[in-house]
Amino acid sequence: MTHGFDTLQVHAGARPDPATGARQTPIYQTTAYVFRDADHAAALFNLQEVGYIYSRLTNPTVAALQERVATLEGGAGAVCCSSGHAAQIMALFPLMGPGLNIVASTRAYGGTITQFSQTIKRFGWSCKFVDFDDLGAVEAAIDDNTRAVFCETIANPGGYITDLDAIAAIADKAGLPLIVDNTSATPYLCRPIEHGATLVVHSLTKYMTGNGTVTGGAVVDSGTFDWSASGKFPSLSDPEPAYHGLKFHETFGSLAFTFHSIAIGLRDLGMTMNPQGAHYTLMGIETLSLRMRRHVENAERVAAWLEQHPAIEQVTYAGLPSSPYHDRVAKICPEGAGGLFTVALKGGYESCTKFVDALQIFSHVANLGDARSLVIHSASTTHRQLSEEQQIAAGAAPNVVRISIGIEDPEDLIADLEQALAQAG
Ligand SMILES: *Cc1c(COP(=O)(O)O)cnc(C)c1O
């Protein structure tokens, strides 16, 4: 029996607690689990029986969340971890090795650009950044050492939507997995697996939890990629020395990536999500569709109002008919273009700092995807270390403010923006 999204977001992965009948998923605040006997312990360690050993690997509260996220994304399995950035490393870890590279979109979350351009070099991995609207350039960037293609559905800070089907076709032709960061869209607005994604990564910190309480991440596996076809993914296809020669793909089929991520990724990298965090995220996801509908409705209204304001030079929101990416909304995220966009103020840098200081409902913070409305002036904060040219290339020019629209009354948001723009001069 298949259920609708609104039903699944409340029920998937959760069942009454077998010990107590508790209706809400309990927080299993435990490190370890008693083995029935020595044979049971051995079977668990051999991955012959699925169960709980130690909470760095698996925990019942986290497992409920994993099943819920996998179900909503239409994947075979999911692994949760400590943050969105941890999820990106967890997604690449089974695929990569020294000397290997990924091809990623230039339009990405600022932290992702740093992680991929600097930090992964310490593992001997590298990243080639390409304009994903130039399909020929994406194809040309792929070489014999490429192991994945990476992009965001709705690229943070908003306004850009990736043509996932076109990128998936290129990855497919090259025999490579496509990894899609679906943080800004959430599975309510887009399910990248339906557009050809192999793996979906999330920062659960944002819309999925939805109230700014948790840092968490997830990697969802579509279960459809043939890890053995090319010989390029030996950790999944060949005997894995880190797990006494186990062949993950042969043994676990469509769950190979998920089992590898738990048995080796979480075991040895330790980027584990805690059960408290999983509980908050489970509760947040129960209202995901209700919130996303309101985020979209509010963003459409506020963006349209801002676009006609005389102090505003430009609004980059794909939900506006003026956006060059407006036609991709119907194809990639028909329920709406999300709740994130940027505005450029005619008054420049000075005007932006006055604007963010004058706002009362909107908070000036380094976060997005919260129930409350948030802003950040990137040029004076997150992108402060960059040159002006680099700031412009990253969509964070000195006169740009990023806005994450919350679920408050849209009239109140507009009134707050109006008084702040008046003060910004
Ligand atoms: C926030 C964010 C991340 C990083 O997630 P954390 O939970 O902060 O580690 C990655 N991608 C996107 C699109 C984000 O918005």
Side-chain angles (χ1 to χ4, degrees):
M1 189 164 55
T2 60
H3 293 294
F5 192 94
D6 291 9
T7 305
L8 292 172
Q9 72 185 357
V10 176
H11 290 284
R15 27 197 90 71
D17 180 48
T20 61
R23 178 61 272 201
Q24 186 52 279
T25 304
I27 303 170
Y28 287 91
Q29 196 68 49
T30 183
T31 308
Y33 308 84
V34 179
F35 305 123
R36 286 196 305 270
D37 52 36
D39 285 345
H40 176 223
L44 289 173
F45 275 90
N46 271 340
L47 299 179
Q48 284 157 342
E49 191 176 322
V50 178
Y52 300 102
I53 298 175
Y54 186 68
S55 284
R56 174 156 31 81
L57 310 173
T58 46
N59 170 279
T61 315
V62 177
L65 175 61
Q66 287 171 164
E67 192 178 332
R68 185 165 302 172
V69 175
T71 303
L72 294 178
E73 285 288 2
V79 179
C80 286
C81 41
S82 52
S83 71
H85 270 1
Q88 293 176 183
I89 297 298
M90 288 283 293
L92 294 175
F93 180 66
L95 318 177
M96 301 294 283
L100 302 177
N101 69 69
I102 60 171
V103 170
S105 174
T106 47
R107 295 180 185 86
Y109 178 72
T112 300
I113 305 263
T114 311
Q115 189 186 52
F116 287 176
S117 64
Q118 304 297 331
T119 305
I120 64 170
K121 282 198 235 162
R122 294 174 179 242
F123 308 141
W125 311 347
S126 61
C127 177
K128 302 186 205 180
F129 289 100
V130 182
D131 175 358
F132 271 39
D133 276 347
D134 185 346
L135 299 178
V138 178
E139 212 164 349
I142 294 172
D143 64 30
D144 287 346
N145 291 326
T146 304
R147 291 295 178 272
V149 177
F150 186 100
C151 63
E152 297 178 9
T153 310
I154 300 176
N156 190 329
Y160 178 78
I161 294 180
T162 306
D163 187 348
L164 295 180
D165 304 83
I167 300 296
I170 293 171
D172 235 36
K173 198 172 140 204
L176 295 175
L178 171 62
I179 306 174
V180 177
D181 180 339
N182 201 32
T183 300
S184 302
T186 81
Y188 179 67
L189 299 180
C190 176
R191 283 172 299 284
I193 290 170
E194 293 172 4
H195 297 274
T198 308
L199 302 172
V200 176
V201 294
H202 272 284
S203 168
L204 300 173
T205 314
K206 315 291 170 54
Y207 293 105
M208 295 289 265
T209 303
N211 45 39
T213 49
V214 165
T215 52
V219 186
V220 183
D221 178 17
S222 62
T224 56
F225 194 83
D226 183 351
W227 301 110
S228 305
S230 64
K232 285 183 175 172
F233 305 100
S235 188
L236 288 154
S237 62
D238 295 357
E240 172 49 73
Y243 216 94
H244 51 70
L246 187 69
K247 290 176 152 184
F248 279 86
H249 191 209
E250 189 181 289
T251 310
F252 299 111
S254 65
L255 284 170
F257 189 93
T258 303
F259 270 89
H260 188 289
S261 293
I262 294 168
I264 300 182
L266 288 182
R267 185 195 66 184
D268 296 345
L269 300 176
M271 300 166 164
T272 307
M273 174 178 260
N274 67 78
Q276 283 275 349
H279 175 74
Y280 286 126
T281 304
L282 277 166
M283 290 207 290
I285 292 176
E286 291 184 355
T287 58
L288 179 64
S289 66
L290 311 181
R291 289 183 287 107
M292 293 314 290
R293 279 180 214 134
R294 179 64 171 229
H295 281 296
V296 167
E297 202 180 294
N298 280 0
E300 284 175 352
R301 197 149 149 207
V302 173
W305 180 85
L306 283 166
E307 195 173 40
Q308 53 73 50
H309 193 282
I312 300 294
E313 185 179 289
Q314 200 197 3
V315 181
T316 63
Y317 181 54
L320 289 171
S322 59
S323 164
Y325 300 105
H326 189 67
D327 55 338
R328 285 190 192 161
V329 177
K331 185 178 164 194
I332 305 293
C333 44
E335 303 295 330
L340 269 183
F341 55 83
T342 61
V343 287
L345 269 63
K346 285 182 187 155
Y349 185 100
E350 287 288 304
S351 185
C352 289
T353 53
K354 282 190 200 145
F355 174 63
V356 297
D357 283 344
L359 285 164
Q360 313 221 314
I361 296 175
F362 287 79
S363 308
H364 188 204
V365 298
N367 192 19
L368 57 93
D370 195 321
R372 64 216 90 234
S373 292
L374 312 172
V375 290
I376 192 158
H377 181 227
S378 306
S380 62
T381 56
T382 51
H383 292 62
R384 204 186 167 81
Q385 319 298 336
L386 304 185
S387 69
E388 193 167 326
E389 293 71 46
Q390 287 174 313
Q391 288 174 348
I392 292 167
N399 70 331
V400 167
V401 174
R402 184 184 79 195
I403 302 188
S404 173
I405 294 289
I407 60 172
E408 301 98 330
D409 286 298
E411 298 78 14
D412 293 336
L413 298 180
I414 288 171
D416 192 27
L417 292 165
E418 186 160 34
Q419 65 80 21
L421 283 171
Q423 289 192 56

